[in-house]
Amino acid sequence: MAKFYALDNKLMCGGPEVRIGDRVYSVDDRKKTVVRMMDLTKKEDVSPTAVMEESLKLGLGAEAAKEIEKMDLSFAAYTELVRLVTAAMIGEEPEKMEERFQNGGKA
């Protein structure tokens, strides 16, 4: 008999969410969105600030990104939010991502 492989249903519905205060934002973790974000981070002519802003737009949507911009967060909070959204997009725990970030991108 042939082996049977199945994609777990929990990976196919009910995507990740990020909470900021009382608001909960859905995170777009679809492959096409993550690939766009990854491509953006490889561009040398894009500033790190632009990468952060665009990552939030991709992950949370343009409307949510505008809402967050109006919150006037501290840089530390904004940076942490970008990390959280990125971790949610790729399905990784934020701590693991931070570890990789501190090791120069190596897991």
Side-chain angles (χ1 to χ4, degrees):
M1 178 179 250
K3 290 186 178 186
F4 177 78
Y5 298 90
L7 182 61
D8 192 338
N9 230 6
K10 70 180 177 183
L11 292 174
M12 297 177 63
C13 61
E17 297 174 330
V18 171
R19 177 185 299 275
I20 304 172
D22 294 336
R23 265 309 294 270
V24 176
Y25 297 93
S26 294
V27 177
D28 185 350
D29 64 344
R30 295 175 295 168
K31 176 191 164 273
K32 70 178 186 176
T33 305
V34 174
V35 168
R36 284 178 59 197
M37 182 194 60
M38 291 169 70
D39 288 345
L40 177 68
T41 62
K42 292 177 186 173
K43 291 184 179 179
E44 293 180 16
D45 61 335
V46 181
S47 73
T49 305
V51 170
M52 290 170 59
E53 290 172 358
E54 193 60 29
S55 293
L56 282 186
K57 283 182 192 171
L58 288 169
L60 302 177
E63 189 175 316
K66 281 183 191 177
E67 220 175 271
I68 291 164
E69 190 64 35
K70 289 178 185 175
M71 291 178 189
D72 202 22
L73 299 172
S74 69
F75 186 73
Y78 190 82
T79 303
E80 182 61 21
L81 176 61
V82 171
R83 278 193 206 127
L84 289 172
V85 170
T86 303
M89 288 175 77
I90 63 174
E92 195 165 282
E93 293 298 320
E95 297 79 20
K96 285 278 191 189
M97 233 187 93
E98 179 67 21
E99 208 174 278
R100 186 181 330 149
F101 177 75
Q102 290 179 358
N103 291 330
K106 295 175 182 77

